């Protein structure tokens, strides 16, 4: 699936906003982009919407703002990943984005730590 110029520009904008938490970068995937820091995917962009990784520790803050989950259709069923939409206000402020992106990165770190424990 081809990525439009608008899609790429939105991705570049989001990645730029996230730079306060570290050297964030993107990779094309899911017909959109995965957003990474330290090789951990903490966000994804699909249809010009930025989603952040959530877990049991962070989900309540996202749900309190009624932020929508990332979902997709697979074999006629709606599938959901552990990502919820970033607040619109965060897309307008590097300081707010730093707070929310750190929440997503924290969830990614905790998920990676759980995976490492399971392998031991």
């Amino acid at each position: 699936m081809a990525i439009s110029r608008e899609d790429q520009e939105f991705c570049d904008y989001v990645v730029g906003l996230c730079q306060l938490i570290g050297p964030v970068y993107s990779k094309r995937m899911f017909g959109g982009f995965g957003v990474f820091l330290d090789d951990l995917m903490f966000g994804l962009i699909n249809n010009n919407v930025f989603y952040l990784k959530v877990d049991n520790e962070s989900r309540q803050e996202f749900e309190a703002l009624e932020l929508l989950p990332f979902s997709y259709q697979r074999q006629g069923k709606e599938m959901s990943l552990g990502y919820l939409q970033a607040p619109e206000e965060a897309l307008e402020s590097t300081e707010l984005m730093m707070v929310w992106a750190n929440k997503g990165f924290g969830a990614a770190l905790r998920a990676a730590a759980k995976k490492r424990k399971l392998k031991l």
Side-chain angles (χ1 to χ4, degrees), residues 71-116:
S71 63
Y72 61 97
Q73 293 290 318
R74 182 175 180 184
Q75 297 176 343
K77 294 182 181 179
E78 187 164 326
M79 306 297 288
S80 180
L81 298 175
Y83 292 83
L84 291 174
Q85 187 174 1
E88 284 293 321
E89 302 81 34
L91 294 171
E92 299 168 6
S93 163
T94 54
E95 291 80 17
L96 274 177
M97 181 58 79
M98 181 178 67
V99 170
W100 286 94
N102 271 317
K103 292 178 191 300
F105 186 63
L109 284 171
R110 289 186 292 275
K114 282 182 185 177
K115 284 182 184 178
R116 279 193 289 275

Side-chain angles (χ1 to χ4, degrees), residues 42 51-71 79-87 99-100 102-108 110-111 114:
F42 72 93
Y51 299 89
L52 291 163
K53 185 158 186 67
V54 298
D55 61 6
N56 290 337
E57 192 172 314
S58 62
R59 180 178 306 276
Q60 189 174 15
E61 289 180 80
F62 287 79
E63 289 178 346
L65 296 174
E66 299 180 358
L67 298 169
L68 300 175
F70 171 74
S71 63
M79 306 297 288
S80 180
L81 298 175
Y83 292 83
L84 291 174
Q85 187 174 1
V99 170
W100 286 94
N102 271 317
K103 292 178 191 300
F105 186 63
R110 289 186 292 275
K114 282 182 185 177

Side-chain angles (χ1 to χ4, degrees), residues 1-4 7 27-34 44-48 70:
M1 184 170 165
I3 300 293
S4 73
D7 293 337
K27 291 182 186 179
R28 285 185 57 180
M29 52 189 354
F30 310 123
F33 301 90
L44 66 87
I45 298 170
N46 187 274
N47 293 322
N48 288 335
F70 171 74

Side-chain angles (χ1 to χ4, degrees), residues 26-39:
S26 65
K27 291 182 186 179
R28 285 185 57 180
M29 52 189 354
F30 310 123
F33 301 90
V35 181
F36 295 81
L37 175 62
D38 294 337
D39 295 325

